[in-house]
Amino acid sequence: MVTAFAPGKCILFGEHAVVYGQPAVAVSIDAGVEVTIRESNSWILEGMPFEPSRHPHISHIINDIFDYTGKPLKIDIKSGLFSAAGLGSSAALSNSMGAALHQLVNPDEPLDLISLARIGHSAEANAQKGRASPTDTATSALGGCVVVSGERVKGTQHVFDATLETPEGSRSWSICRASLPQVDDTWIVLGFTGIGSPTGRMVAGVAELIEREPQKMDDIRAIGEITSSGLDSLSEGDMESVGFAMNSCHEKLRNIGVSCPEIESLISAVENHSLGTKLTGAGGGGCMVSLTRHPRRVAECIEIAGGKPLVSKLGSGGARIL
């Protein structure tokens, strides 16, 4: 029996702008996905017969990545993440499945987190018909604070590059790691609206908006500038400035139409107890995030406003064998 864990992620800055070559900054969170696999007499997933067509991430890792030909497996999944909420739940599943199967097949080889990030990205791309950013899988695999951009970002440690052939042509990214100082008095609290976040539709909507109103590219470029400033403040441990950058980023995200009344309601409920608040992920639902020194109070406010809270420290560890 082997059990592996991979964390979810929260984007602090740069969502949507990263599609246009600007950097995005994401941190791993405490909650994630745990996968346990053991040999069995038949293929079982969560107590039911495993149907590969219904689980493209898992079947891709088993068949295409590892070319597994061993005994059937019993696969159990335990998730602490909200599904379809912009927290990288499918990436965490891909990474934890990849880590567990690696440990089962190669028990004497240490887990290589860069290789794992590539496995997770491949699984995501396969499931999304060739379109997938490495942001979620890299952050989940490596842990800490990860910066993804079209080019290497000054002041960060370059980790690896990723390329992907998409239906729209070849895409490439630089994945870097940013240092996170020890900050004991500040947390992030995620608030789930209860509405799924439709990433593809939201990205397409922004593209259509920019085509109609080319001046909206000013907001995209502004998000890139805010991201760079926020990353500097984060690396210095200046949490007040990080919060200010989060507020500024959310204002630009509002301008490109990706917020929604449910997100705004949760933000209004917690902003008096927060250093900064913004949506995180694609928008149109999903989650908002608060940077705060009062996590319990913020979580209570989210609940009172009808959301579901999730408290985390900034930048937990990455994927690991348990």
Side-chain angles (χ1 to χ4, degrees):
M1 182 182 80
V2 177
T3 299
F5 172 84
K9 68 90 176 66
C10 168
I11 295 181
L12 288 182
F13 313 104
E15 46 271 276
H16 287 285
V18 71
V19 176
Y20 300 90
Q22 302 291 341
V25 177
V27 292
S28 59
I29 61 176
D30 295 335
V33 176
E34 187 177 297
V35 168
T36 299
I37 57 176
R38 67 197 83 196
E39 293 182 346
S40 176
N41 293 323
S42 60
W43 286 91
I44 301 293
L45 175 64
E46 296 285 85
M48 301 291 289
F50 176 51
E51 298 180 29
S53 63
R54 295 184 58 190
H55 304 281
H57 298 79
I58 294 174
S59 60
H60 176 74
I61 290 169
I62 292 170
N63 299 315
D64 301 331
I65 300 294
F66 285 92
D67 192 22
Y68 179 77
T69 57
K71 292 183 179 180
L73 299 175
K74 182 177 184 291
I75 306 166
D76 290 303
I77 301 168
K78 186 187 299 182
S79 178
L81 300 171
F82 306 123
S83 181
L87 302 184
S89 59
S90 65
L93 171 60
S94 295
N95 284 344
S96 54
M97 182 66 199
L101 193 53
H102 168 84
Q103 182 70 11
L104 183 73
V105 174
N106 306 296
D108 297 324
E109 291 184 16
L111 184 64
D112 184 306
L113 296 182
I114 295 176
S115 295
L116 181 64
R118 295 188 187 280
I119 288 171
H121 188 212
S122 176
E124 291 285 281
N126 178 73
Q128 297 176 31
K129 298 180 172 59
R131 300 177 181 90
S133 158
T135 304
D136 291 11
T137 44
T139 307
S140 174
L142 301 175
C145 181
V146 170
V147 184
V148 177
S149 182
E151 56 188 26
R152 297 187 185 186
V153 176
K154 184 180 178 182
T156 64
Q157 175 193 357
H158 177 256
V159 182
F160 69 99
D161 293 318
T163 59
L164 183 67
E165 294 300 323
T166 76
E168 292 76 34
S170 180
R171 292 198 63 195
S172 61
W173 300 268
S174 181
I175 291 87
C176 303
R177 194 194 295 269
S179 61
L180 275 179
Q182 185 69 34
V183 179
D184 295 325
D185 65 345
T186 308
W187 289 258
I188 54 174
V189 183
L190 296 143
F192 181 38
T193 60
I195 302 169
S197 181
T199 301
R201 181 162 62 82
M202 299 305 295
V203 170
V206 172
E208 291 168 5
L209 175 66
I210 290 171
E211 187 174 351
R212 292 194 312 270
E213 302 178 38
Q215 70 272 18
K216 290 295 184 181
M217 274 302 297
D218 292 342
D219 291 307
I220 295 294
R221 285 187 285 268
I223 291 173
E225 294 170 2
I226 293 165
T227 298
S228 297
S229 174
L231 179 59
D232 289 343
S233 298
L234 187 64
S235 298
E236 294 166 1
D238 182 354
M239 292 297 126
E240 284 79 6
S241 295
V242 173
F244 181 80
M246 289 171 65
N247 291 336
S248 299
C249 188
H250 184 70
E251 180 182 341
K252 301 304 179 184
L253 290 167
R254 276 195 196 113
N255 289 348
I256 59 172
V258 295
S259 190
C260 66
E262 292 81 5
I263 287 174
E264 295 298 329
S265 176
L266 295 185
I267 286 176
S268 295
V270 305
E271 56 189 358
N272 288 338
H273 309 287
S274 305
L275 297 173
T277 55
K278 60 182 285 293
L279 67 80
T280 182
C287 289
M288 49 70 66
V289 58
S290 161
L291 183 71
T292 182
R293 293 195 172 103
H294 309 284
R296 183 174 297 180
R297 181 61 179 147
V298 168
E300 289 172 351
C301 290
I302 288 170
E303 286 187 324
I304 291 170
K308 298 178 181 178
L310 183 61
V311 179
S312 176
K313 292 299 287 184
L314 274 166
S316 67
R320 52 197 180 270
I321 305 298
L322 300 180

